[in-house]
Amino acid sequence: MEAANKLVSFGMRAANNNTVISVGLVGAFFALSARSMHQQNTIEALEAEKASLIKSNKATKQTMWDWKQQLYSEADSDSALVPLSRLRAIYGESPTPPKIAEEVTESARAKFVV
C-alpha cells in the first residue's frame, strides 16, 4: 500500500512538472516527424514505380500495336495462313462474317449437349 501511494504521488508530481511534459511533447514530435519522413519516402518510391510502370505499359502497347500491324500486313499477302478479313473479325474491327458466327454457335451448342 505504501509503494502504491509513493507511485501515485510520483505520478502526480511528474504530471505537474513542466519539464516532464515538455520532454514528452518533444518525444512525440520526433516520433511523428520520423513517421512522416518514412511515409514521404514511401510515397516517393511509389510515385517512381508508377512512372516506371506507365512507361513500360506505353512501350508494351506500342509493341503490340506494331505486331498487330505486321500481322495485318502479312495477312494481306496472297500466301497468308489466315486471311485479313478473319483477323479483323477476331480483333473486332469488322462485322463478323456469318460463317464465323455459325461456327461459334455450333461449338457452343456442342458444349451444352445433355
Side-chain angles (χ1 to χ4, degrees):
M1 186 73 168
E2 184 68 28
N5 285 336
K6 285 184 181 182
L7 187 61
V8 169
S9 67
F10 178 73
M12 293 297 285
R13 280 185 278 141
N16 292 330
N17 190 347
N18 285 337
T19 306
V20 173
I21 293 172
S22 296
V23 167
L25 289 174
V26 168
F29 173 76
F30 282 122
L32 290 173
S33 296
R35 185 181 75 171
S36 178
M37 287 174 47
H38 180 320
Q39 288 176 343
Q40 184 64 32
N41 291 338
T42 303
I43 288 170
E44 289 171 0
L46 289 173
E47 286 175 349
E49 183 180 0
K50 177 183 174 185
S52 172
L53 288 173
I54 287 172
K55 184 178 177 182
S56 173
N57 284 346
K58 285 182 181 179
T60 302
K61 285 180 183 179
Q62 182 62 42
T63 302
M64 289 174 58
W65 174 258
D66 294 341
W67 286 347
K68 187 176 175 183
Q69 295 308 312
Q70 181 183 0
L71 182 65
Y72 280 177
S73 66
E74 290 174 1
D76 200 21
S77 68
D78 293 333
S79 63
L81 294 174
V82 179
L84 182 60
S85 60
R86 172 101 178 182
L87 281 177
R88 289 192 186 271
I90 290 171
Y91 285 110
E93 295 180 3
S94 66
T96 309
K99 183 178 180 182
I100 295 174
E102 289 173 8
E103 290 174 7
V104 170
T105 307
E106 289 174 12
S107 65
R109 286 183 194 150
K111 290 180 184 176
F112 294 107
V113 174
V114 182

